[in-house]
């Protein structure tokens, strides 16, 4: 923009001539201190999405900034009083003059009124200069060259309108990269489905452009679907050591170890060229170590993607969020910010991970027998804090649960957790030690039926039998959707007579996501032109947009996205250009195979409405049933009514055959279709149910 100013023809008077070495201040309608006219961000389908309108607004403003000197030079009156205006205000007959009244009561001479002297040129210049500096400080994006014609497109393919399953694509004309490939969990209607992975159709469509997969951190909702993607499409994959180590563990399970050669271990604060982009990983603080935000330099401008984060000023490893880099990019001018909306309804700031350690101090002091601690297996710092306290209290550590064992081993191997081998014991060794010398760290904080803690609660665990002297610490919250299973776990634990430490202790768990004050900090450090809230359901991103508006982002420069929306970002506008296919594939964890959607739909039907099986032999000539039809139902009628129902269906078949036209009974297939149709109609009419109907017809 500075360069652009130099090229602009200058109609200004000599007094108001803008200094060449700094950008113009905006006209009043663009004043960032003014409240925006509307505080509703642009939404899909909203008329305001019209690119011309958005485009027009921004262009018009920029043009006018350069052309309309008078308007631009007027100081905004609510910020700084104009001495001339003061004069006229004084003599305004419509305004009550309080001084007069006071004078009357005083009865004496009017006190001499303060009359400001004329403003010196130096003061005027100083005010103007400060105003310009403030304007650029608060709107650093104005440094972005506005005539840049380059376009970048961003397409979320998972993680919007839902929690988890994060995946997105960023692309320019010639290249593209994928940000995270996460999984999510099914709801209770998806029978036999263990995990959901995003639909990769769009990635197939643009595969020749894709240069890399970029990983922000090692949570399952960001890396869980990588093996499934790599079974279809392979790309170089970039991430921090822990994220790639966790993906390597998955590749081992899926027989993809050959693909480890595609790994690129990144160093934070270093830029990596990926197609037309330069990407830097910036350290952040989250509920997993080695998590990063991204600074993405594109031909259109710089973009910051926070990924999942919170701002923990006292993290366990003392590695604070790299706010300096956010400020660095912010000061240079950021075109678009993408930021984590998970906790956007939470006022204040999310507490530091360190507060959980203090709670553990209390709980370990209170515990007289064994301590059994359960948390998310990826939360290394949480686990480490418990282990440290266990060791300090003279306890041996027993790790139980496949993912917990694997994650602790991985983080120890990478040197993130420094606890010597001598402190660990195997599960079968637990009974050999006195109760107050045992700390069990286990999976199952979400009440997962197959996890170790649930099995202990059910008295089904081979080595750990719960005793009334045990203290169970559940250092987690129920992820939405898991409330029922967590509650059922609690019931079992309480029945088992153990001491359960859960929500009664406020700081037994803290979130890994930013609350409003942290979201504001990032918005203010980056102060972007455009804002795209990510990671969350619609209400989360909507709330986050309000926070952004309060932090000076123009409401017209915010878009609320859904999965599949393709957003075009240029220096001038932000708009949705199309919708691409999205969805979920169902995965059975027993064999790591996909379950096709029609199979899941059949299971849903079976679970809701049951099944009717019909086997019948038919004489085509006589149009009669040979022998007796075999009819059985499951999940539709009670056993004692089975016979009566079967008889009704037999009658329907006989009536149909008697009245059937020749073409309706031309083949077993034709009869099956007819039978399915008439039996369905009958059941819908009499029972208001839609069971699966499977007629098998033999012709004689
Ligand atoms: Zn995360």
């Amino acid at each position: 923009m500075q360069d652009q100013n130099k090229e602009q023809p200058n109609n200004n008077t000599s007094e108001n001539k803008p200094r060449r070495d700094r950008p113009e201040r905006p006209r009043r309608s663009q004043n960032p201190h003014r409240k925006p006219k509307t505080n509703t961000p642009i939404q899909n389908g909203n008329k305001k999405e019209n690119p011309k309108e958005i485009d027009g607004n921004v262009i018009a403003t920029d043009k006018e900034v350069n052309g309309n000197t008078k308007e631009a030079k007027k100081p905004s009156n609510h910020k700084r009083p104009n001495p001339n205006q003061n004069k006229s205000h004084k003599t305004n007959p419509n305004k009550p003059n309080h001084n007069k009244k006071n004078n009357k009561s005083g009865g004496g001479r009017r006190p001499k009124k303060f009359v400001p002297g004329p403003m010196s040129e130096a003061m005027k210049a100083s005010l103007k200069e400060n105003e310009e500096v403030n304007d650029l400080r608060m709107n650093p994006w104005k440094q972005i060259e506005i005539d840049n014609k380059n376009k970048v497109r961003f397409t979320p393919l998972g993680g919007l309108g839902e929690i988890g399953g994060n995946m997105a694509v960023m692309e320019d004309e010639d290249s593209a990269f994928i940000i995270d490939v996460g999984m999510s969990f099914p709801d209770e209607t998806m029978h036999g489905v263990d995990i959901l992975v995003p639909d990769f159709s769009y990635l197939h469509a643009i595969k020749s452009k894709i240069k890399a997969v970029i990983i922000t951190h090692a949570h399952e909702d960001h890396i869980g679907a990588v093996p499934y993607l790599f079974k279809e499409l392979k790309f170089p994959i970039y991430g921090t050591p822990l994220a790639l180590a966790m993906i390597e563990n998955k590749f081992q399970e899926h027989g993809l170890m050959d693909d480890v050669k595609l790994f690129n271990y990144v160093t934070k604060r270093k830029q990596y060229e990926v197609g037309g982009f330069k990407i830097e990983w910036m350290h952040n603080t989250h509920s997993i170590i080695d998590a990063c935000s991204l600074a993405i330099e594109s031909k259109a401008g710089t973009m910051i993607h926070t990924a999942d984060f919170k701002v923990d000023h006292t993290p366990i490893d003392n590695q604070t969020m790299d706010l300096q880099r956010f400020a660095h990019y912010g000061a240079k001018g950021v075109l678009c910010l993408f930021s984590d909306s998970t906790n956007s309804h939470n006022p204040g700031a999310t507490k530091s991970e360190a507060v959980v350690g203090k709670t553990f101090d209390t709980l370990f002091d209170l515990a007289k027998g064994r301590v059994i601690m359960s948390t998310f297996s990826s939360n290394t710092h949480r686990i480490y804090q418990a282990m440290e306290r266990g060791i300090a209290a003279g306890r041996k550590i027993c790790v139980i649960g496949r993912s917990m064992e694997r994650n602790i081993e991985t983080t120890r191997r990478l040197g993130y957790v420094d606890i010597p081998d001598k402190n660990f014991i195997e599960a079968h060794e637990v009974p050999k030690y006195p109760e107050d010398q045992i700390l069990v760290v286990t999976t199952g904080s979400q009440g997962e039926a197959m996890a170790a803690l649930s099995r202990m609660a059910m008295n089904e665990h081979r080595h750990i039998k719960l005793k009334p002297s045990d203290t169970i610490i559940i250092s987690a919250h129920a992820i939405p959707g898991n409330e029922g299973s967590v509650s059922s776990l609690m019931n079992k634990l309480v029945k088992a007579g153990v001491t359960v430490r859960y929500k009664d202790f406020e700081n037994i768990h803290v979130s890994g996501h930013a609350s409003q004050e942290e979201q504001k900090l990032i918005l203010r450090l980056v102060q972007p032109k455009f804002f795209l809230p990510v990671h969350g359901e619609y209400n989360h991103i909507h709330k986050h947009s309000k926070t952004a508006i309060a932090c000076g982002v123009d409401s017209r420069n915010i878009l609320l996205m859904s999965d599949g929306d393709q957003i075009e970002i240029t220096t001038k506008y932000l708009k949705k250009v199309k919708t691409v296919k999205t969805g979920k594939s169902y995965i059975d964890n027993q064999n790591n195979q996909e379950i096709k959607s029609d199979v899941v739909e059949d299971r849903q039907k079976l679970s809701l409405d049951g099944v009717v099986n019909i086997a019948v032999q038919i004489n085509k000539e006589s149009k009669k049933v040979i022998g007796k039809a075999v009819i059985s139902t499951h999940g539709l009628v009670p056993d004692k009514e089975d016979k009566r129902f079967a008889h009704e269906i037999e009658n329907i078949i006989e009536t149909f055959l008697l009245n059937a036209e020749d073409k309706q009974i031309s083949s077993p297939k034709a009869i099956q279709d007819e039978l399915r149709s008439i039996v369905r109609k009958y059941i819908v009419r009499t029972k208001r149910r839609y069971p699966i109907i499977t007629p098998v017809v033999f012709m004689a």
Side-chain angles (χ1 to χ4, degrees), residues 197-260:
V197 305
D199 186 309
F200 300 131
S201 304
Y202 184 63
L203 303 183
H204 281 279
I206 60 157
K207 66 181 176 199
S208 58
K209 272 176 83 176
I210 300 175
K211 304 296 177 202
V213 175
I214 301 300
I215 299 294
T216 60
H217 66 290
H219 271 151
E220 288 294 328
D221 57 340
H222 292 257
I223 65 166
V226 174
Y228 299 95
L229 173 64
F230 272 58
K231 283 174 189 172
E232 296 180 27
L233 295 164
K234 297 181 199 292
F235 306 106
I237 181 163
Y238 291 72
T240 53
L242 181 69
L244 293 183
M246 298 280 210
I247 293 171
E248 187 177 332
N249 290 342
K250 291 179 182 301
F251 278 10
Q252 212 162 11
E253 234 174 73
H254 288 260
L256 290 167
M257 284 307 277
D258 272 359
D259 294 341
V260 169

Side-chain angles (χ1 to χ4, degrees), residues 166 217-222 286-288 291 308-309 512-513:
N166 298 287
H217 66 290
H219 271 151
E220 288 294 328
D221 57 340
H222 292 257
H286 185 38
S287 44
I288 190 166
D308 287 356
F309 80 102
H513 294 275

Side-chain angles (χ1 to χ4, degrees), residues 396-466:
K396 292 285 179 194
I397 303 162
C398 170
V399 180
I400 297 180
R402 201 164 62 117
S403 62
M404 189 65 87
E405 288 169 40
R406 200 174 57 181
N407 289 350
I408 291 174
E409 268 326 298
T410 305
T411 46
R412 285 182 76 207
R413 183 162 61 90
L414 298 182
Y416 289 119
V417 173
D418 184 19
I419 293 179
D421 283 344
K422 64 171 195 226
N423 295 295
F424 292 93
I425 56 167
E426 297 293 326
H428 66 85
E429 296 176 281
V430 168
K432 294 183 198 162
Y433 288 82
E435 288 178 6
D436 62 354
Q437 288 179 22
I438 291 293
L439 165 63
V440 175
V441 176
T442 178
T443 52
S445 64
Q446 296 302 299
E448 307 95 317
M450 298 304 289
L453 189 56
S454 278
R455 285 189 282 124
M456 290 176 207
M458 300 283 287
N459 200 23
E460 284 171 3
H461 197 273
R462 208 167 136 209
H463 299 293
I464 310 291
K465 305 290 174 197
L466 294 184

Side-chain angles (χ1 to χ4, degrees), residues 163 185 446 477-483 537 540:
I163 297 282
F185 291 104
Q446 296 302 299
H477 70 291
I479 292 174
N482 290 349
E483 294 88 350
E537 294 177 26
H540 301 116

Side-chain angles (χ1 to χ4, degrees), residues 357-405:
K358 294 214 163 58
T359 310
F360 282 175
D361 285 336
T362 310
L363 298 183
F364 274 77
D365 280 350
L366 290 171
K368 299 296 170 232
R370 299 183 300 187
V371 174
I372 298 170
M373 196 282 289
S374 187
T375 187
F376 302 102
S377 64
S378 58
N379 197 336
T380 306
H381 282 155
R382 185 72 50 82
I383 298 161
Y384 179 71
Q385 292 201 84
M387 287 180 173
E388 253 192 330
R389 277 149 186 90
I391 294 168
R395 293 174 186 266
K396 292 285 179 194
I397 303 162
C398 170
V399 180
I400 297 180
R402 201 164 62 117
S403 62
M404 189 65 87
E405 288 169 40

